[in-house]
Amino acid sequence: MSDDIQRLLPLTPTVFHMLLALADGEKHGYAIMKTVEEETQGQMQIRIGSLYGSIQRMIEAGLIRELDERPDPNLEDGAHGADSRRRYYGLTDLGRRVLTAESERIARAMSVIRAKRILGGV
Amino acid sequence: MQGKFLFSEWLFGALLTLYPARFRSAYGQQMRLAFRDACRAAYRRGGTGGLLALWLPTLLDLFKSALEERAQGEITMSKERLMAWTAPLMVIVGLLWLLAAFTEFMLVAGITSLNTFWDPIWRIPFDLSFFLMLPALLGLRLHTHAGASFTGRFGLLLSVAGCAGMVSLPLIMGVVNATVPPDQVGTLPDYIMAVCLPSIMVGQVLFGVDALRFSLLPRWNFLPLLSGLAILPLLVVITRILMIMRWSELQIIGFTSLELAIFGACWVLMGFAMTGQQRKPSAIAPVAPAV
């Protein structure tokens, strides 16, 4: 694993879930919030201030990038229709590789959890 | 219903002033849009109660993240400021060393004589220079950190440590003079200088080698090495030889003046070489802990 990936691991839960939310396509800030909430069954709720602080640091770290244009002009912006002022964010190559590396790390931990039957017989 | 939304959005917008201006201009509008969506979703779920339930965690998060961004912003601003001041500081340090060299030269040239006034006067610009050299070296580190190898980074660290020692010398002597009888103070300042000055110069030599290898400065990459070498062999070796050869005090002072002048000139030129070089601090900012 290259050094630029290694130095970013392990990811904080917020960054991991934000990368996971962007894994299936570009999203705007509020959509990232909602996706994280849904994918964690409400266990993780990122608030707006923390969300954009994280977005800023993830852009600086090269994990995500701001898209120059909307990924799909017909894309529905939640329940309130399209808004041309919205900015969309997507994974960079580095972001995708970091997400893969972190997922592998979690998967390895998961196999140990299974082997030791931590989850009550799972 | 519209009034509640408008008030909430207005209040949220007002609270965004807690964030640094740079962050606000980059993300303020996006945060407002996201909050507008969150408000509407919360109202759909729970009416006015839902809207109020959204506000409490949002408010706490706003205060927390605004504080974080302000702290982060201050660090970034300090780095940027330090980087912007590197070149002028280097020029001033160089000029102070040239001034020290000039006061020494006046003795050699016979313009003035060695007396209790002129003997210590060269130390004033010399000692003062270390207070400016310390931020200049830290700024130089920020400028060159990304391109330097371990040797160069270690060299600058050594110089910074030596410079910090020179800066703290008056403080150390103040404490020593207040606590130790004068006859026991002896040559402690000389010992401290004997460690700190070579640290600065050896550090300059190591950094200078790296600067030549990787072109760390925009131009004139030989200058850091020359400034270190100018002092090291002259200060440590030649001055010693001259003393053994029983050169007169004035002749040795003349040599010291030359060393100071070479170092000063190198730093003035390094300052000019650095002028206009602005690198983004993000290139050197540690990203991992922040992420």
Side-chain angles (χ1 to χ4, degrees):
Chain A
M1 196 184 301
S2 63
D3 284 349
D4 54 346
I5 294 177
Q6 194 61 54
R7 74 189 164 89
L8 294 168
L9 299 181
L11 298 176
T12 62
T14 305
V15 172
F16 175 69
H17 284 287
M18 284 173 68
L19 290 177
L20 206 56
L22 291 169
D24 53 1
E26 295 87 352
K27 291 179 177 65
H28 54 73
Y30 183 68
I32 296 172
M33 269 173 64
K34 295 310 293 176
T35 308
V36 169
E37 193 177 337
E38 284 163 20
E39 288 179 351
T40 59
Q41 288 87 45
Q43 286 187 343
M44 177 177 281
Q45 293 185 339
I46 306 174
R47 302 290 167 190
I48 293 164
S50 301
L51 173 79
Y52 281 95
S54 297
I55 284 176
Q56 177 182 249
R57 283 184 279 279
M58 288 166 75
I59 290 174
E60 284 171 2
L63 295 175
I64 61 171
R65 66 191 170 89
E66 192 180 306
L67 272 60
D68 294 330
E69 50 192 45
R70 295 169 63 85
D72 177 0
N74 300 317
L75 199 69
E76 190 71 11
D77 277 341
H80 309 287
D83 191 327
S84 59
R85 292 174 298 174
R86 283 193 197 283
R87 282 188 227 146
Y88 285 76
Y89 305 95
L91 290 184
T92 59
D93 284 345
L94 175 67
R96 195 166 288 280
R97 282 186 285 135
V98 166
L99 177 61
T100 304
E102 180 70 349
S103 303
E104 285 169 355
R105 193 185 68 80
I106 292 170
R108 280 195 296 276
M110 204 58 217
S111 67
V112 175
I113 290 168
R114 284 202 192 92
K116 294 188 175 182
R117 298 182 181 279
I118 303 290
L119 299 176
V122 175
Chain B
M1 184 184 94
Q2 196 66 21
K4 287 171 195 161
F5 287 157
L6 286 176
F7 178 72
S8 279
E9 285 172 35
W10 173 83
L11 189 58
F12 185 83
L15 286 169
L16 288 181
T17 51
L18 294 171
Y19 286 87
R22 187 184 297 190
F23 184 87
R24 217 167 46 236
S25 73
Y27 298 105
Q29 188 189 50
Q30 297 303 306
M31 290 171 82
R32 277 201 195 92
L33 288 171
F35 184 71
R36 187 192 65 183
D37 287 348
C39 276
R40 292 180 183 182
Y43 192 83
R44 270 199 312 278
R45 273 200 310 270
T48 306
L51 207 53
L52 289 173
L54 171 72
W55 258 108
L56 182 62
T58 301
L59 208 55
L60 292 175
D61 178 67
L62 270 183
F63 286 126
K64 179 179 146 284
S65 60
L67 205 65
E68 284 171 1
E69 292 307 326
R70 286 221 170 257
Q72 186 67 33
E74 278 303 310
I75 292 167
T76 307
M77 283 298 289
S78 303
K79 282 181 177 174
E80 283 178 357
R81 226 174 279 143
L82 198 57
M83 287 172 79
W85 275 95
T86 305
L89 281 174
M90 290 182 107
V91 172
I92 296 169
V93 168
L95 289 174
L96 286 171
W97 279 62
L98 284 173
L99 184 63
F102 181 69
T103 56
E104 294 271 83
F105 178 75
M106 284 175 78
L107 289 171
V108 181
I111 298 169
T112 184
S113 58
L114 202 58
N115 53 42
T116 48
F117 177 73
W118 276 104
D119 189 26
I121 201 128
W122 72 278
R123 286 291 302 263
I124 296 171
F126 181 75
D127 287 345
L128 184 64
S129 72
F130 295 104
F131 288 88
L132 303 176
M133 191 187 281
L134 189 59
L137 286 169
L138 291 170
L140 187 61
R141 185 177 176 278
L142 289 175
H143 273 286
T144 58
H145 187 79
S149 74
F150 173 78
T151 310
R153 289 200 290 265
F154 177 71
L156 272 185
L157 199 66
L158 203 60
S159 289
V160 167
C163 202
M166 289 301 290
V167 167
S168 53
L169 184 59
L171 186 71
I172 294 169
M173 289 318 297
V175 173
V176 169
N177 287 329
T179 52
V180 179
D183 57 318
Q184 289 178 22
V185 174
T187 52
L188 181 66
D190 294 338
Y191 284 125
I192 294 174
M193 277 179 67
V195 172
C196 293
L197 271 180
S199 288
I200 295 173
M201 301 312 162
V202 170
Q204 285 287 288
V205 169
L206 293 176
F207 175 72
V209 170
D210 226 33
L212 277 176
R213 281 173 66 201
F214 301 112
S215 299
L216 298 177
L217 305 183
R219 53 194 160 152
W220 307 332
N221 278 286
F222 63 93
L223 288 170
L225 183 62
L226 181 61
S227 70
L229 286 178
I231 293 290
L232 261 184
L234 294 178
L235 190 77
V236 179
V237 182
I238 298 179
T239 311
R240 195 77 199 148
I241 292 169
L242 296 182
M243 286 168 80
I244 293 166
M245 288 169 66
R246 297 182 187 284
W247 275 33
S248 71
E249 194 175 356
L250 271 184
Q251 284 172 317
I252 294 173
I253 289 173
F255 234 97
T256 314
S257 161
L258 185 65
E259 298 161 7
L260 295 171
I262 293 173
F263 186 89
C266 284
W267 268 61
V268 169
L269 291 174
M270 268 160 63
F272 283 120
M274 297 291 292
T275 308
Q277 191 200 33
Q278 294 293 331
R279 284 190 188 165
K280 287 181 181 175
S282 57
I284 42 82
V287 288
V291 169

